[in-house]
Amino acid sequence: MFGRERLGAGDWAVMALGVLFGLIGVVLTIGGGWLIAVGGSWYYLLAGLGLIATGALLFVRRMEAFWLYLLVFVLTVIWALFEVGLNGWALVPRVFAPFVLLLLVIASIPVLAPARNRWVTPWSGRVSGKPLMLAGFGGAAVFALVAGVAVAAANRFEVERPCPQAGSARPNGFLTSRPAPTGPPMAAPGAPSATPP
């Protein structure tokens, strides 16, 4: 396969990305298998297998790598929402790294030229690389915007009671609706009296 064409820098970069995906997938698969053995979630094993397959497709520069990882990412978001809902602190660690990997795959689309695919598929064989890459980045931006707004709205703190007015503050710092007491200050116990005997 490599003897018939000259590989450029983009080809080597995508192949290296494929190796990276494969290594991450192996780690997730091994860890996911151990997690299942102790009664944990199946997600990490399935996601690891998906990353290994994506890495293999990236290494041979196949357009199907994009569609496969897009499916893995969508399922990751669904799993994360099922696990933690819209809890921002718990959701971001589950989605941020897969989202960064998605951006890398989108950036690889021009190298995954349809002409290089052995099998012409309806969803990749007739699509030019750069327009699909731009559409992918646009979709990723819309996803990030919508997700950010949804998480921010779900984690917004609401004030249970209205804040007191500035005139209701006592000199000692406590808030009250009654006016501050007037008169001479009280002496501390054991202190000499300020008034003459």
Side-chain angles (χ1 to χ4, degrees):
M1 180 181 67
F2 299 132
R4 296 181 180 180
E5 57 182 334
R6 192 169 186 176
L7 300 180
D11 298 289
W12 289 110
V14 173
M15 292 168 65
L17 182 63
V19 173
L20 176 63
F21 267 70
L23 293 176
I24 298 174
V26 169
V27 173
L28 286 178
T29 301
I30 295 174
W34 176 85
L35 192 60
I36 292 174
V38 297
S41 172
W42 283 73
Y43 162 76
Y44 296 97
L45 175 63
L46 298 177
L49 294 175
L51 285 177
I52 292 175
T54 301
L57 291 171
L58 284 172
F59 190 81
V60 295
R61 290 157 297 142
R62 292 286 302 274
M63 188 65 189
E64 285 82 355
F66 166 72
W67 299 110
L68 176 59
Y69 186 72
L70 181 62
L71 175 62
V72 172
F73 179 76
V74 170
L75 295 178
T76 297
V77 173
I78 295 174
W79 165 80
L81 292 174
F82 177 78
E83 287 282 317
V84 299
L86 290 175
N87 184 341
W89 290 107
L91 189 62
V92 169
R94 289 169 169 82
V95 178
F96 180 76
F99 182 72
V100 173
L101 293 179
L102 176 64
L103 295 180
L104 293 176
V105 175
I106 293 174
S108 304
I109 289 177
V111 177
L112 308 176
R116 299 178 184 177
N117 292 346
R118 294 179 182 175
W119 303 316
V120 178
T121 57
W123 58 86
S124 63
R126 303 301 179 188
V127 178
S128 137
K130 290 184 178 179
L132 184 57
M133 181 189 71
L134 296 178
F137 280 127
V142 171
F143 168 80
L145 178 62
V146 173
V149 171
V151 171
N155 294 273
R156 181 179 56 186
F157 294 99
E158 296 183 358
V159 180
E160 297 182 356
R161 63 185 66 180
C163 296
Q165 298 180 358
S168 61
R170 291 178 57 180
N172 56 11
F174 294 99
L175 299 178
T176 179
S177 58
R178 296 176 297 178
T182 58
M186 297 179 60
S193 176
T195 59

